[in-house]
Amino acid sequence: MSSDLIAYSVHMEHRILGRTGLRVSLLSLGSGGARQLGQAIGMTQSGQTALVRRALDLGVNFIDTSAGYGESEAILGRALDGVPRDSYHLCTKWSPWENGVFGEDPQSLVDSVERSLARLGTDHVEVMMFHGPLAPEYRVIVDRFYPTMERLREQGKIRYIGLSVQYATEPSQGVVDLAIKSDANLWDVLMLKYGLLNQSVAKEVLPLAIKHGVGIMNMAAIRVKLPDPDLLQELMREWSDEGHIGQGELPSDDPLGWLVHDDVASVVAAGYKFAADHPAIATVITGTSNLDHLEENVAALSKPYLPANDTRRLKELFGDIVEYA
Ligand SMILES: NC(=O)c1ccc[n+]([C@@H]2O[C@H](COP(=O)([O-])OP(=O)(O)OC[C@H]3O[C@@H](n4cnc5c(N)ncnc54)[C@H](OP(=O)(O)O)[C@@H]3O)[C@@H](O)[C@H]2O)c1
């Protein structure tokens, strides 16, 4: 389908981001991940601006970034120059880790927020997060740094407070489990990974998020296995060898090809749809740097669910697996 046809046939759903009350687009734009808004593949500012502007034209109103994503904040600041500030929401982040050292001084958070605001060309961000603390760091985050976040909120520099997981290091996402079970009142927003191959948070974290009004941003829902048929085949072979899925349960050459039918255009589209099909999820962040992919992803989420039989089978196949994928 040509990009024009896709553009005219899509509908962007909006959902409420938990207790923040922000009305966010179901697809949001990420500036981290493997692509970092195209920085990883040498995109120029004009290409990056075109990507951001196209996302806004397609109805995206929420953009995720971090002080730790190379030049992403500054690229976004330039791309968004002249766009009315009340037409989009921003989420940025800070990590106490710097050059391998876990910081002690909350002033680093204040300085980082000031730099983020200057780079983004704004006087506030809607959501400010602790970037990827691991479960063992959680208590220090709350005791040492959270009060500083509260002061930044009182000053109007940030509106809501959250944290994101570091999935690659902690595939169990134990930090959001701790956050939501011990201090749900502290966290307006959590950023986690819920995907077709990563369903573990559906057991407790997502229901608790609904109960406590915590907004959920869903990150990295398809990378890296779903867009890469070789990696996906290898993973399914591994999971079958380890007994996570039955031998011969899935075809070895195209293990998830059965998801592609009717209006599910690809395995990637199935991945984004699954990622959006939970009532706790307010937004799914796409990290694409490619205009055609962006339009495909918007189109995928214009119908954010798979046929019920396929969803059921995915839950039966992968629902109990807690492995890096
Ligand atoms: N700890 C954290 O706080 C944390 C961790 C991870 C991510 N995040 C945030 O979440 C965002 C999303 O995560 P992610 O970047 O991993 O996103 P993702 O959308 O799950 O994966 C992006 C990857 O998938 C590819 N892709 C996207 N759409 C595609 C399509 N239609 N067809 C084929 N390939 C496609 C992209 O390549 P192309 O560029 O070629 O499309 C890119 O390699 C990040 O950008 C970041 O803002 C936060």
Side-chain angles (χ1 to χ4, degrees), residues 29-35 41 64-65 69 93 131-132 164-167 191 218-223 227 268 272 285-290 292-294 296-297:
L29 183 66
S31 62
R35 296 294 198 235
I41 54 168
D64 177 60
T65 188
Y69 293 161
K93 318 187 194 80
H131 192 165
S164 69
V165 303
Q166 199 181 130
Y167 172 78
M191 185 183 294
N218 191 4
M219 63 175 222
I222 65 139
R223 80 148 176 209
V268 165
Y272 281 112
I285 318 170
T286 180
T288 188
S289 56
N290 175 298
D292 291 335
H293 291 171
L294 174 69
E296 287 166 22
N297 301 346

Side-chain angles (χ1 to χ4, degrees), residues 25 27-33 36-37 39 52 60-67 69 72-73 76 80 88-94 120 125 127-131 163-165 189-192 217-220 283-287:
S25 49
L27 193 75
S28 41
L29 183 66
S31 62
Q36 293 206 338
L37 211 59
Q39 290 177 82
V52 173
V60 168
N61 76 348
F62 199 14
I63 300 174
D64 177 60
T65 188
S66 170
Y69 293 161
S72 283
E73 290 181 326
L76 285 170
L80 292 165
Y88 61 88
H89 305 304
L90 291 171
C91 169
T92 192
K93 318 187 194 80
W94 167 80
L120 288 162
V125 290
V127 182
M128 179 67 202
M129 291 192 167
F130 294 104
H131 192 165
L163 67 76
S164 69
V165 303
V189 186
L190 293 173
M191 185 183 294
L192 49 70
M217 299 173 71
N218 191 4
M219 63 175 222
T283 190
V284 179
I285 318 170
T286 180

Side-chain angles (χ1 to χ4, degrees), residues 29-321:
L29 183 66
S31 62
R35 296 294 198 235
Q36 293 206 338
L37 211 59
Q39 290 177 82
I41 54 168
M43 264 172 95
T44 60
Q45 178 70 49
S46 66
Q48 291 158 329
T49 299
L51 184 78
V52 173
R53 295 295 182 105
R54 186 74 183 124
L56 298 176
D57 287 347
L58 289 166
V60 168
N61 76 348
F62 199 14
I63 300 174
D64 177 60
T65 188
S66 170
Y69 293 161
E71 293 301 310
S72 283
E73 290 181 326
I75 294 165
L76 285 170
R78 292 188 285 268
L80 292 165
D81 188 26
V83 179
R85 181 64 184 86
D86 60 1
S87 65
Y88 61 88
H89 305 304
L90 291 171
C91 169
T92 192
K93 318 187 194 80
W94 167 80
S95 165
W97 284 100
E98 207 178 323
N99 302 323
V101 178
F102 190 87
E104 307 238 325
D105 186 359
Q107 184 60 34
S108 315
L109 167 57
V110 176
D111 295 344
S112 183
V113 167
E114 294 295 351
R115 279 194 302 271
S116 292
L117 296 179
R119 286 191 204 113
L120 288 162
T122 183
D123 61 2
H124 72 282
V125 290
E126 280 72 14
V127 182
M128 179 67 202
M129 291 192 167
F130 294 104
H131 192 165
L134 302 176
E137 296 156 8
Y138 176 75
R139 210 12 72 197
V140 185
I141 289 288
V142 171
D143 295 342
R144 190 183 299 162
F145 297 111
Y146 192 92
T148 304
M149 280 284 201
E150 285 180 302
R151 270 198 300 284
L152 289 162
R153 182 170 57 190
E154 281 155 23
Q155 293 163 3
K157 294 180 178 171
I158 68 175
R159 300 262 155 89
Y160 302 104
I161 300 174
L163 67 76
S164 69
V165 303
Q166 199 181 130
Y167 172 78
T169 318
E170 195 171 58
S172 69
Q173 307 188 64
V175 74
V176 283
D177 205 60
L178 266 179
I180 205 129
K181 286 182 183 164
S182 48
D183 309 297
N185 59 318
L186 296 185
W187 305 109
D188 302 315
V189 186
L190 293 173
M191 185 183 294
L192 49 70
K193 174 157 168 143
Y194 171 68
L196 189 159
L197 302 172
N198 326 84
Q199 300 179 28
S200 64
V201 289
K203 287 207 187 326
E204 294 189 283
V205 174
L206 295 183
L208 285 171
I210 294 172
K211 179 175 171 198
H212 296 293
V214 177
I216 300 290
M217 299 173 71
N218 191 4
M219 63 175 222
I222 65 139
R223 80 148 176 209
V224 291
K225 304 289 174 12
L226 293 187
D228 185 327
D230 292 339
L231 286 181
L232 185 60
Q233 269 183 43
E234 196 183 308
L235 179 73
M236 293 301 108
R237 222 176 11 250
E238 229 174 82
W239 281 4
S240 174
D241 291 347
E242 290 167 6
H244 296 306
I245 49 181
Q247 294 282 345
E249 182 95 44
L250 294 171
S252 53
D253 54 340
D254 187 10
L256 296 182
W258 50 276
L259 290 167
V260 182
H261 61 95
D262 298 309
D263 56 19
V264 182
S266 65
V267 171
V268 165
Y272 281 112
K273 284 174 190 286
F274 185 93
D277 187 12
H278 190 291
I281 304 291
T283 190
V284 179
I285 318 170
T286 180
T288 188
S289 56
N290 175 298
L291 276 175
D292 291 335
H293 291 171
L294 174 69
E295 298 194 355
E296 287 166 22
N297 301 346
V298 172
L301 288 198
S302 64
K303 285 190 183 160
Y305 42 80
L306 295 169
N309 283 342
D310 292 351
T311 303
R312 195 174 312 117
R313 187 161 183 226
L314 287 169
K315 290 182 178 176
E316 282 163 11
L317 279 166
F318 305 126
D320 290 325
I321 302 175

Side-chain angles (χ1 to χ4, degrees), residues 2-28:
S2 86
S3 47
D4 279 351
L5 278 178
I6 293 176
Y8 288 117
S9 63
V10 297
H11 157 76
M12 179 66 76
E13 185 177 319
H14 289 79
R15 295 186 184 170
I16 302 299
L17 185 65
R19 69 172 78 108
T20 73
L22 295 173
R23 193 171 167 272
V24 295
S25 49
L26 183 53
L27 193 75
S28 41

